[in-house]
Amino acid sequence: TMPHATDETLKSWFVPSFTPANVNDLLKFGTAAIALSRYSGLWCSMKVIADICDSTQVIEYDLDKYRANIPEREYDVSIRWPDSGLAQEERIHDQKLPAVQEFLKHNKINEIIHLHNRTNTARANLGIVVVGEAYNSLMTAIDYLDLTDELDKRGISILKIGMSWPLQEDMIAEFADNHSDILVIEEKGPLVEDQINKLCCEHKINV
């Protein structure tokens, strides 16, 4: 088969994309994807690459632990009749995508794995934004090179992305604003990188 990625295609269809890093994420995000689809009225997708499909992992699965938190705020996302194409598209931008942002605020889909402990008001040196399965490669490299203790010394933070589109805007903007440089680690095209660039421009964040 040809190496390919459907991230940009799913984005063009306004389909939120979960990006699990391991089997545990696969189950956790699967539960969240169902809940998000019902809450936002959007189809949801999950990017599962061969490294995850062909792997094994022992986990303790607790349905109550992984049950999604449904925000109290309600949005007008339901289908109706008649419903023109223009009205549907308007509802995607005005109701459904804002519902996704609200859902992300109440659920730990994206996670700061390591936050540099700043001793002053200066920005940390480097914020690493890592997407999906690439997180495993990053942490393996850090462990192999024995750099775990160096993260704070060198002013490095790590943000693990569990949804590559749309990004959680408030979290990304705050993370970028607290770091002088941002390094994005993702597969194939710059889906996450482009979104971060746009957010930094919109919020006038200089990184």
Side-chain angles (χ1 to χ4, degrees):
T1 58
M2 286 290 293
H4 68 285
T6 56
D7 309 67
E8 292 288 350
T9 301
L10 292 168
K11 173 186 172 184
S12 71
W13 293 339
F14 302 105
V15 176
S17 297
F18 287 85
T19 51
N22 49 46
V23 176
N24 185 70
D25 280 356
L26 190 64
L27 297 173
K28 174 184 176 182
F29 292 168
T31 304
I34 295 172
L36 175 58
S37 182
R38 292 173 176 171
Y39 179 70
S40 68
L42 292 170
W43 291 92
C44 292
S45 65
M46 189 176 303
K47 183 176 182 178
V48 186
I49 65 175
D51 288 356
I52 297 177
C53 292
D54 297 340
S55 67
T56 59
Q57 182 180 1
V58 178
I59 64 170
E60 293 184 10
Y61 186 78
D62 184 344
L63 186 59
D64 290 329
K65 178 182 177 182
Y66 290 144
R67 196 181 303 277
N69 296 313
I70 307 302
E72 293 183 2
R73 184 174 180 179
E74 297 181 354
Y75 293 85
D76 182 20
V77 301
S78 301
I79 59 174
R80 63 214 60 195
W81 183 261
D83 198 11
S84 69
L86 289 176
Q88 292 180 49
E89 185 173 18
E90 181 180 6
R91 198 158 60 250
I92 287 174
H93 293 285
D94 294 344
Q95 299 292 327
K96 296 186 177 185
L97 290 178
V100 174
Q101 294 296 323
E102 187 71 16
F103 185 90
L104 290 174
K105 292 177 183 178
H106 289 79
N107 292 274
K108 204 173 184 179
I109 305 301
N110 307 298
E111 185 176 359
I112 296 178
I113 302 301
H114 180 84
L115 184 62
H116 171 61
N117 295 319
R118 293 180 296 172
T119 56
N120 51 50
T121 58
R123 302 165 89 186
N125 292 331
L126 177 65
I128 300 177
V129 179
V130 59
V131 185
E133 202 278 333
Y135 167 74
N136 298 324
S137 299
L138 172 65
M139 300 310 292
T140 299
I142 290 175
D143 183 61
Y144 180 78
L145 297 172
D146 196 23
L147 294 177
T148 302
D149 294 335
E150 295 293 318
L151 296 178
D152 272 332
K153 293 179 183 178
R154 299 177 183 272
I156 299 174
S157 302
I158 299 173
L159 170 59
K160 175 189 173 193
I161 297 296
M163 180 179 286
S164 58
W165 190 89
L167 288 179
Q168 186 175 348
E169 296 180 357
D170 59 340
M171 172 183 272
I172 293 294
E174 182 179 358
F175 187 79
D177 195 35
N178 287 331
H179 296 82
S180 299
D181 293 292
I182 296 294
L183 171 65
V184 181
I185 304 175
E186 58 183 323
E187 303 153 1
K188 301 298 181 183
L191 176 68
V192 169
E193 182 180 352
D194 287 348
Q195 292 179 80
I196 293 177
N197 283 334
K198 182 180 178 182
L199 275 172
C200 288
C201 289
E202 291 177 349
H203 291 269
K204 298 181 179 180
I205 299 172
N206 184 24
V207 292

